């Protein structure tokens, strides 16, 4: 079976959104990928894509309310089935809020687990087998070659540590949150 | 790709461009000397043959605004469908565009009379005119790594601040285009080095330019056009090298039709992806983060890590397992070109700015109408094999194709958009609609009219360049010293493999 692939192209708004999700009571958090994507699209429309309502990138991420989650605008959540025209709930395809985030090779009605550590239960997301195998092989090759050529990190690291004016410490934190909650091993 | 965020023109706010386009369109009343209308030797064609739209520039642009929105709305869903071409061909086509025309005439760009492309397709946008004494571009070379044996050659153009070392600064728009340009510089360097043992420096340099251009011309003709052109047009190109309609075009200095620069060769905007993997050791990156040179302050990181901002051509050409595909050609423009730089909305900007600018360049650039072009071409093509069924030949057929696409647009589209669409819009719709026998592209190739206009401009330019090269004394001797990739198909991937073998 093809492995699930989650790709985040814009860590900053995704991280702000996931920060807001983390602040919600567990019962209020999305239960499906569709719900998560729809809420993210609303969050983008409310806080990132409306030029008249810009967020302050030095302040904590704004709250996710039902009204915010339903905000209409340019961003939209969509499911694109791998087989054109497949409208079934079990269709395999990609959920996305383009071009910020997409989750491929999943069912249209896929559920989602949003987990945090608890005293009685700790959560660790293990890497998927195929990607892990490839990453280990690559890391081995880089090590044998002397570790001079390296994996390349996401842009926000470089933006933050070279004091780019477009990356506040708060935005760096959001980016880190998006990265460590969604990235695959490497 | 124009970049609003770097504009210093006070008339060009980083916002929706309708007012600016309108003002510039009214100023652009006549064609510059290096432009003409297709199949028109006269300075100005009969006004009745030109696109009229709603009758006035202001009203036409107002009607085109929702069309631009429609071109962008939901266009990203196309990303998830398989495209027709590997992603690298988007940038090869962009290089060809820069090589054919130094600028686009219209409300969006400024005419620079000293920078016309006179000779055809000889990589002038990289090296400068063949007659120029410009120093050859210098290369940045990504270090070979033992961790990636057999990886394709990786080189880049060099930069001084924000200025790329190429004749045409547009070749530094993205790392894809600058590194693609650098492949041809690498080929030139190797050829010049081999030839310098037998020829004086200037002669070796000219012959090396010719050998490099020959490879480039082969790739355009046998690789790029084979993927891009409608099958019926491609069959005619292969049968007789396309000597059909605009025979006068094969003349040095003959002006480029505005129908080509302002419409037919803008298809690449639809092919641009929103995100790219540069190589499999880099994260996926949004297009907005991949503009211009390596960001300031990070040059040292690139020097120390050969994976940093290196384009691995296995992800862009060939048929490897990690290949990224371009988006399909059709009436869908990605919003990302304008909208998503550094994760932030452009204040006051709209996602459809680029789409509107493309439409405006077509609508206000004194282009001939689709109906006029069909009338010009029918006597030459309508009875040829594979062409009789083209919807292009009937007003009802063209109207039906346009009406079908416009029917999905919210609100009632004005009739003139169906009867007399801007050429660029018609060509996009023609490319995206299904029906190969009707001259439509199905998202995989240009349609009949788009393919014809492209063949009409590129094939004469190809022949002019080949004739110039063939006339060079000692060319055969040069070919024997530095032969082209032998015994293989003249494709982009062949060049990449060839250069890799010479590392």
């Amino acid at each position: 079976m093809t492995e699930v692939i989650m790709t985040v192209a814009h860590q900053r708004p995704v991280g702000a959104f996931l920060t807001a999700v983390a602040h919600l009571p567990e019962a209020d958090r999305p239960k499906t990928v569709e719900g998560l994507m729809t809420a993210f699209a609303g969050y983008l429309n409310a806080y990132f894509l409306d030029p008249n309502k810009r967020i302050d990138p030095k302040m904590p991420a704004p709250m996710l309310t039902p009204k915010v989650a339903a905000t209409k605008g340019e961003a939209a959540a969509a499911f694109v089935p791998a087989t054109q025209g497949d409208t079934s709930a079990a269709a395999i395809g990609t959920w996305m809020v383009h071009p910020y985030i997409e989750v491929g090779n999943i069912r249209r009605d896929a559920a989602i687990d949003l987990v945090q550590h608890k005293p009685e239960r700790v959560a660790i997301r293990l890497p998927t087998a195929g990607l892990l195998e490839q990453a280990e092989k690559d890391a081995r090759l880089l090590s044998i070659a002397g570790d001079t050529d390296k994996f390349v990190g996401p842009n926000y690291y470089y933006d933050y540590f070279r004091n780019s004016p477009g990356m506040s410490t708060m935005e760096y934190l959001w980016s880190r949150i998006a990265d460590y909650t969604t990235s695959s091993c490497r | 790709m124009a970049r609003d965020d770097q504009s210093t023109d006070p008339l060009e706010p980083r916002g929706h461009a309708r007012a600016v386009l309108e003002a510039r369109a009214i100023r652009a009343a006549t064609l510059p000397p290096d432009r003409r209308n297709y199949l028109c030797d006269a300075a100005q064609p009969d006004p009745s043959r030109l696109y009229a739209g709603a009758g006035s520039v202001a009203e036409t642009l107002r009607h085109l605004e929702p069309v631009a929105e429609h071109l962008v709305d939901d266009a990203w869903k196309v990303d998830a469908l398989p495209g027709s071409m590997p992603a690298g061909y988007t940038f090869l086509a962009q290089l060809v565009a820069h090589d054919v025309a130094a600028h686009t005439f219209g409300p969006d760009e400024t005419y620079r009379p000293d920078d016309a492309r006179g000779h055809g397709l000889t990589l002038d946008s990289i090296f400068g005119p063949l007659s120029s004494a410009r120093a050859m571009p210098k290369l940045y070379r990504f270090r070979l790594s033992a961790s990636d044996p057999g990886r394709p050659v990786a080189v880049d153009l060099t930069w001084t601040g924000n200025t790329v070392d190429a004749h045409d600064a547009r070749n530094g728009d993205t790392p894809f285009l600058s590194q693609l340009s650098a492949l041809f510089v690498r080929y030139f360097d190797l050829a010049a080095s081999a030839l310098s043992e037998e020829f004086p420096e200037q002669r070796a340099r000219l012959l090396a330019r010719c050998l490099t251009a020959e490879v480039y011309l082969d790739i355009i003709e046998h690789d790029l056009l084979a993927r891009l052109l409608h099958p019926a047009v491609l069959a005619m190109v292969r049968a007789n090298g396309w000597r059909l309609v605009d025979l006068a075009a094969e003349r040095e200095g003959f002006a480029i039709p505005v129908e080509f620069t302002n419409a037919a060769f803008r298809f690449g905007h639809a092919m641009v992806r929103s995100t790219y993997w540069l190589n499999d050791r880099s994260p996926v990156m949004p297009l907005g983060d991949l503009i211009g040179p390596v960001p300031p302050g990070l040059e040292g990181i690139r020097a120390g890590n050969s994976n940093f901002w290196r384009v691995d051509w296995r992800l862009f050409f060939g048929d490897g397992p990690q290949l990224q595909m371009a988006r399909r050609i059709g009436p869908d423009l990605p919003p990302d070109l304008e909208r998503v730089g550094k994760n932030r909305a452009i204040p006051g900007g709209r996602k459809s700015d680029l789409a509107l600018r493309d439409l405006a360049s077509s609508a206000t650039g004194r282009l001939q109408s689709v109906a006029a072009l069909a009338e010009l071409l029918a006597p030459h093509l309508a009875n040829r094999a594979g062409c009789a069924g083209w919807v292009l030949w009937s007003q009802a057929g063209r109207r039906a194709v346009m009406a079908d696409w416009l029917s999905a647009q919210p609100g009632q589209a004005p009739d003139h958009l169906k009867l007399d669409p801007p050429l660029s819009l018609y060509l996009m719709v023609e490319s995206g609609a299904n029906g190969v026998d009707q001259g439509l592209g199905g998202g995989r190739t240009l349609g009949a009219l788009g393919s014809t206009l492209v063949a009409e401009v590129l094939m004469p330019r190809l022949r002019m360049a080949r004739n110039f090269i063939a006339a060079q004394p000692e060319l055969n001797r040069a070919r024997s010293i530095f032969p082209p990739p032998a015994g293989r198909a003249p494709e982009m991937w062949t060049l990449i493999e060839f250069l890799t073998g010479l590392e």
Side-chain angles (χ1 to χ4, degrees):
Chain A
M1 185 182 220
T2 312
E3 290 186 344
V4 172
I5 297 175
M6 186 178 294
T7 305
V8 173
H10 295 270
Q11 286 88 2
R12 180 164 28 194
V14 171
F17 169 70
L18 291 174
T19 303
V21 171
H23 285 307
L24 289 176
E26 204 168 317
D28 293 348
R29 294 174 188 162
K31 306 292 187 295
T32 62
V33 176
E34 179 176 9
L36 185 85
M37 292 289 180
T38 304
F40 176 51
Y43 196 80
L44 280 170
N45 290 327
Y47 296 126
F48 282 85
L49 296 177
D50 182 348
N52 301 314
K53 279 173 55 184
R54 310 302 303 282
I55 59 166
D56 182 345
K58 298 182 187 309
M59 295 293 287
M63 297 297 288
L64 176 65
T65 64
K67 186 180 171 194
V68 167
T71 306
K72 298 295 178 200
E74 182 181 321
F79 180 80
V80 181
T83 305
Q84 254 183 299
D86 186 348
T87 56
S88 69
I92 296 291
T94 302
W95 266 109
M96 61 175 78
V97 178
H98 182 87
Y100 301 90
I101 184 171
E102 64 181 54
V103 191
N105 303 324
I106 61 171
R107 286 170 55 124
R108 186 194 302 270
D109 62 357
I112 192 162
D113 292 324
L114 298 167
V115 295
Q116 289 168 305
H117 299 317
K118 294 176 183 172
E120 68 280 9
R121 183 183 290 270
V122 169
I124 295 177
R125 183 172 55 92
L126 294 172
T128 52
L131 196 58
L132 178 59
E133 187 182 340
Q134 186 59 44
E136 284 185 313
K137 187 176 154 195
D138 268 1
R140 173 77 176 138
L141 286 170
L142 288 165
S143 296
I144 292 170
D147 289 324
T148 50
D149 293 311
K150 300 173 187 301
F151 291 136
V152 177
N155 263 21
Y156 71 84
Y157 278 117
Y158 305 108
D159 285 343
Y160 184 60
F161 287 108
R162 72 187 164 102
N163 299 318
S164 164
M167 178 61 73
S168 70
T169 299
M170 188 63 75
E171 291 172 300
Y172 173 71
L173 173 64
W174 295 341
S175 302
R176 291 252 305 145
I177 288 168
D179 201 12
Y180 83 68
T181 51
T182 65
S183 287
S184 299
C185 55
R186 180 169 284 180
Chain B
M1 275 175 262
R3 280 171 278 159
D4 277 354
D5 58 340
Q6 295 192 357
S7 171
T8 54
D9 185 344
L11 265 180
E12 186 86 300
R14 288 166 43 162
H16 201 285
R18 179 153 65 96
V20 176
L21 293 172
E22 204 176 296
R24 288 188 173 180
I26 290 164
R27 288 206 297 263
T30 57
L31 296 179
D34 71 333
R35 288 292 187 277
R36 65 184 171 109
N37 284 103
Y38 175 60
L39 281 179
C40 292
D41 255 341
Q44 303 294 341
D46 177 348
S48 68
R49 305 188 61 79
L50 298 179
Y51 170 77
S56 76
V57 168
E59 190 69 354
T60 300
L61 288 176
R62 196 174 66 75
H63 290 171
L64 289 177
E65 214 165 54
V67 175
E69 298 277 344
H70 185 40
L71 283 169
V72 173
D73 280 342
D74 293 347
W76 44 268
K77 288 181 182 171
V78 175
D79 278 2
L81 300 173
S84 58
M85 281 182 250
Y89 290 96
T90 313
F91 305 100
L92 179 61
Q94 191 182 10
L95 178 63
V96 172
H98 294 176
D99 227 25
V100 170
H103 66 99
T104 304
F105 167 65
D108 191 36
E109 299 196 30
T110 307
Y111 174 53
R112 297 185 296 274
D114 58 335
D115 206 16
R117 304 273 185 264
H119 279 83
L121 292 160
T122 47
L123 289 166
D124 289 11
S125 72
I126 300 174
F127 297 105
L130 284 158
S131 58
S132 94
R134 184 192 191 284
M136 289 295 109
K138 292 185 178 59
L139 287 181
Y140 173 87
R141 300 195 63 181
F142 291 86
R143 193 177 61 248
L144 287 172
S145 171
S147 71
D148 200 358
R151 85 177 184 200
V153 64
V155 285
D156 199 355
L157 299 175
T158 52
W159 296 77
T160 305
N162 280 325
T163 306
V164 71
D165 187 12
H167 180 69
D168 190 329
R170 294 175 299 173
N171 285 357
D173 268 2
T174 62
F176 313 114
L177 186 52
S178 67
Q179 293 185 40
L180 184 72
S181 301
L183 290 176
F184 290 101
V185 177
R186 176 70 181 138
Y187 191 89
F188 165 84
D189 285 348
L190 291 163
S193 172
L195 297 177
S196 66
E197 293 177 14
E198 189 157 325
F199 295 101
E201 184 187 344
Q202 285 304 313
R203 190 74 199 144
R205 178 170 140 156
L206 179 61
L207 288 168
R209 275 287 304 267
C210 291
L211 295 183
T212 308
E214 276 194 315
V215 171
Y216 174 58
L217 295 168
D218 282 346
I219 290 170
I220 294 172
E221 186 168 356
H222 300 292
D223 191 9
L224 179 64
L225 291 184
R227 296 169 189 273
L228 193 59
L229 299 182
H230 183 276
V233 174
L234 182 63
M236 286 186 271
V237 165
R238 287 185 166 158
N240 71 354
W242 193 269
R243 293 171 193 275
L244 287 176
V245 187
D246 195 4
L247 298 175
E250 199 167 324
R251 197 165 79 205
E252 189 166 321
F254 200 64
I256 303 288
V258 282
E259 287 80 5
F260 176 85
T261 54
N262 290 29
F265 221 65
R266 294 210 159 196
F267 63 87
H269 286 165
M271 293 168 65
V272 176
R273 293 165 56 93
S274 304
T275 57
Y276 288 93
W277 297 95
L278 272 70
N279 63 67
D280 63 0
R281 286 162 178 167
S282 284
V284 66
M285 290 176 73
L287 181 67
D289 284 359
L290 291 167
I291 301 294
V294 170
L298 300 184
E299 297 87 351
I301 292 177
R302 174 150 96 160
N305 178 4
S306 75
N307 294 320
F308 192 83
W309 274 54
R310 170 176 60 84
V311 175
D312 184 333
W313 294 115
R314 290 171 293 195
L315 278 62
F316 290 83
F317 291 107
D319 55 5
Q322 295 173 302
L323 186 67
Q324 297 167 104
M325 301 304 283
R327 288 159 41 93
R328 294 153 71 97
I329 306 174
D332 299 287
L333 292 173
D336 317 72
L337 288 175
E338 293 291 343
R339 196 71 176 84
V340 196
K342 300 290 179 190
N343 310 350
R344 284 179 167 165
I346 298 168
R350 293 191 195 176
K351 60 184 178 179
S352 57
D353 277 358
L354 180 83
L356 183 63
R357 289 212 306 268
D358 274 358
L359 291 172
S361 286
S362 180
T364 66
R366 301 187 64 79
L367 277 63
Q368 292 173 91
S369 68
V370 176
L373 292 167
E375 190 181 286
L376 283 173
L377 290 170
H380 301 276
L381 297 177
N383 292 322
R384 291 188 174 263
C387 305
W390 289 359
V391 296
L392 178 65
W393 307 133
S394 80
Q395 188 187 68
R398 297 191 301 268
R399 182 183 174 133
V401 169
M402 288 306 304
D404 185 46
W405 183 75
L406 287 164
S407 66
Q409 179 182 314
Q412 181 70 36
D415 262 357
H416 70 84
L417 289 174
K418 300 167 197 161
L419 291 167
D420 180 23
L423 180 58
S424 65
L425 180 63
Y426 179 79
L427 297 182
M428 282 191 279
V429 172
E430 177 195 60
S431 301
N434 289 322
V436 68
D437 292 342
Q438 288 81 51
L440 306 171
R444 300 194 170 275
T445 67
L446 293 171
L449 181 55
S451 297
T452 300
L453 291 171
V454 167
E456 281 283 88
V457 171
L458 292 191
M459 291 311 294
R461 298 255 139 190
L462 275 160
R463 277 197 295 277
M464 283 165 54
R466 288 195 192 283
N467 290 342
F468 174 86
I469 292 166
Q472 294 303 311
E474 303 162 315
L475 183 72
N476 285 335
R477 177 63 189 144
R479 283 175 179 149
S480 69
I481 293 171
F482 194 75
R488 305 187 221 177
E491 294 183 349
M492 196 62 220
W493 181 245
T494 309
L495 172 66
I496 294 164
E497 279 192 315
F498 177 73
L499 291 174
T500 302
L502 296 177
E503 288 287 358

